């Protein structure tokens, strides 16, 4: 049985997230998802939605076997608990595959690190980014 792990912020769930998780699920038999805690999101604006709400939304997706919140201080704690065969990173996530592989090796976690495939918009105007969704809301509501 192949256990796959995906991770992300998943703020304002959109078709890009669904594609990422579907791509990850197709690579194995079980898909586990770690949803980043808002306090740990430092590479971009913090999430709009609360941690548990984002986790619950991801858990509701049919392709997801289990969704859990990330650890408060050590992102590798849930990775070690899940013990995946492969970690699938999002197509445009900021993570460095080699650095993650090295950190996994240092911790004795033996798994492959891969990237999800890209998803092009299915139609004009489709948004595949939480940031772009937020920007459009602000523009349409006149709150820029």
């Amino acid at each position: 049985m192949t256990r796959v792990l995906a991770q992300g912020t998943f703020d304002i769930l959109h078709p890009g997230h669904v594609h990422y998780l579907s791509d990850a699920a197709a690579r194995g038999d079980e898909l586990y998802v770690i949803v980043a805690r808002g306090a740990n999101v430092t590479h971009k604006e913090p999430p709009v939605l609360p941690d548990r709400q984002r986790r619950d939304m991801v858990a509701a997706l049919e392709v997801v076997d289990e969704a859990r919140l990330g650890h408060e201080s050590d992102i590798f704690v849930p990775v070690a608990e899940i013990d995946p065969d492969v970690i699938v990173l999002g197509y445009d996530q900021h993570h460095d595959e080699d650095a993650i592989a090295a950190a996994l090796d240092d911790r004795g976690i033996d798994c492959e690190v891969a990237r999800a495939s890209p998803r092009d918009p299915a139609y004009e105007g489709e948004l595949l980014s939480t940031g772009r969704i937020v920007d459009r809301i602000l523009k349409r509501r006149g709150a820029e």
Side-chain angles (χ1 to χ4, degrees), residues 13-72:
L13 215 50
H14 56 71
H17 291 135
V18 173
H19 173 79
Y20 165 41
L21 296 176
S22 296
D23 184 305
R27 297 169 189 240
D29 303 302
E30 297 177 324
L31 176 61
Y32 291 77
V33 181
I34 298 172
V35 177
R37 292 179 181 272
N40 294 342
V41 177
T42 58
H43 62 285
K44 60 183 177 181
E45 291 296 319
V48 173
L49 300 176
D51 295 350
R52 288 182 57 194
Q53 183 176 350
R54 292 181 291 111
R55 186 217 43 219
D56 291 349
M57 292 297 295
V58 169
L61 297 172
E62 187 174 328
V63 298
V64 176
D65 291 291
E66 181 182 320
R68 61 172 74 178
L69 290 174
H71 191 268
E72 293 88 351

